Amino acid sequence: MKFKENLEGIDIIKKSADTALFDAAALETLSILDKTREDFWNVDNESANFLSLLIKTKGAKNALEIGTSNGYSAIWLANALKETGGKLTTIEFWDNRLNVAIENFKKAGVDDIIETRLGQAVMILEEMFMDFYPGKNTDNISNLDFNKTEEKLFDFVFIDANKSEYIKYFKLIDPMLKKGGMIVADNILSHYKKVEPYVKAITTHPNYQSQLIPLDTGMMISFKK
């Protein structure tokens, strides 16, 4: 018989304080961004902390974010990557949002390890693919020589952009992700119908082990075997 403690009326402690992770300037920037979350579709604080834990636990060095918005999640990712000696590349479609994010990166003191890319995510991912595998066609990605580009491959990817394009992102990301790498996709529960092709593809893929985490809008964590 399973036992479940009655926690009604108890304020459960869910995470450590952000003050242990960020300096005063970064905390102030994040506090301001927290208030604009609904306008910029940012992850919530607990989800951001979870992403930070994943980066540190994995020891990720080369991370990619698809969907910068105003930079909230990127600040968390980059802050964690500073501890691992890593770097972050983040893609945003809207120039006004990216400009806001760049200023926030400076205020939070993480701009030195972030590379920003402006444009449609699919097009930028295709450009990255061609850079990784010169002369190769994105329509035929089998038998690629990963060893020649190992130092350039990503080991952590966070997807939080156009939900209907998740499946397109995955097909392009897969050959650019190291074995042992991780993909985290947000909004799985809040936009399931739009992301369902992605969920079906990655949960049935023989090279990935996945689990849905019901944090906020739902995150799918996928490990590349």
Side-chain angles (χ1 to χ4, degrees), residues 28 32 112 156 194:
E28 181 179 3
I32 293 171
D112 57 326
F156 188 92
K194 288 186 177 181

Side-chain angles (χ1 to χ4, degrees), residues 29-192:
T29 302
L30 290 171
S31 177
I32 293 171
L33 297 183
D34 268 328
K35 297 174 183 177
T36 64
R37 183 190 169 212
E38 292 187 3
D39 295 327
F40 289 90
W41 307 335
N42 292 324
V43 298
D44 69 342
N45 180 265
E46 290 182 8
S47 298
N49 185 62
F50 181 65
L51 290 171
S52 174
L53 286 170
L54 289 177
I55 289 276
K56 294 175 183 178
T57 301
K58 176 166 180 42
K61 299 285 187 179
N62 191 14
L64 171 68
E65 176 185 54
I66 305 175
T68 315
S69 190
N70 61 4
Y72 181 81
S73 55
I75 291 172
W76 276 88
L77 293 173
N79 183 69
L81 287 162
K82 282 206 168 190
E83 290 195 22
T84 66
K87 62 181 180 178
L88 173 68
T89 301
T90 184
I91 302 171
E92 175 56 44
F93 176 73
W94 301 103
D95 56 350
N96 58 336
R97 288 195 174 188
L98 188 59
N99 290 334
V100 170
I102 290 172
E103 288 303 310
N104 288 328
F105 297 157
K106 293 177 182 177
K107 293 176 182 176
V110 293
D111 57 304
D112 57 326
I113 63 165
I114 298 179
E115 177 188 352
T116 59
R117 299 287 295 269
L118 175 64
Q120 294 182 351
V122 171
M123 294 182 65
I124 292 175
L125 290 172
E126 288 176 344
E127 292 173 0
M128 288 180 173
F129 176 92
M130 296 304 293
D131 180 49
F132 282 21
Y133 304 105
K136 298 292 184 179
N137 192 315
T138 56
D139 294 330
N140 184 9
I141 60 176
S142 61
N143 299 320
L144 294 175
D145 189 351
F146 288 90
N147 293 328
K148 290 184 178 180
T149 55
E150 183 69 19
E151 73 283 355
K152 298 167 67 177
L153 295 175
F154 296 110
D155 54 10
F156 188 92
V157 179
F158 177 51
I159 304 175
D160 187 15
N162 187 326
K163 314 310 170 191
S164 61
E165 291 188 341
Y166 275 27
I167 185 62
K168 295 180 181 179
Y169 303 155
F170 174 54
K171 290 177 180 179
L172 289 164
I173 289 168
D174 178 45
M176 297 189 288
L177 185 71
K178 291 181 180 180
K179 288 185 178 180
M182 184 177 292
I183 302 176
V184 181
D186 196 30
N187 298 116
I188 301 302
L189 294 176
S190 61
H191 295 74
Y192 187 76

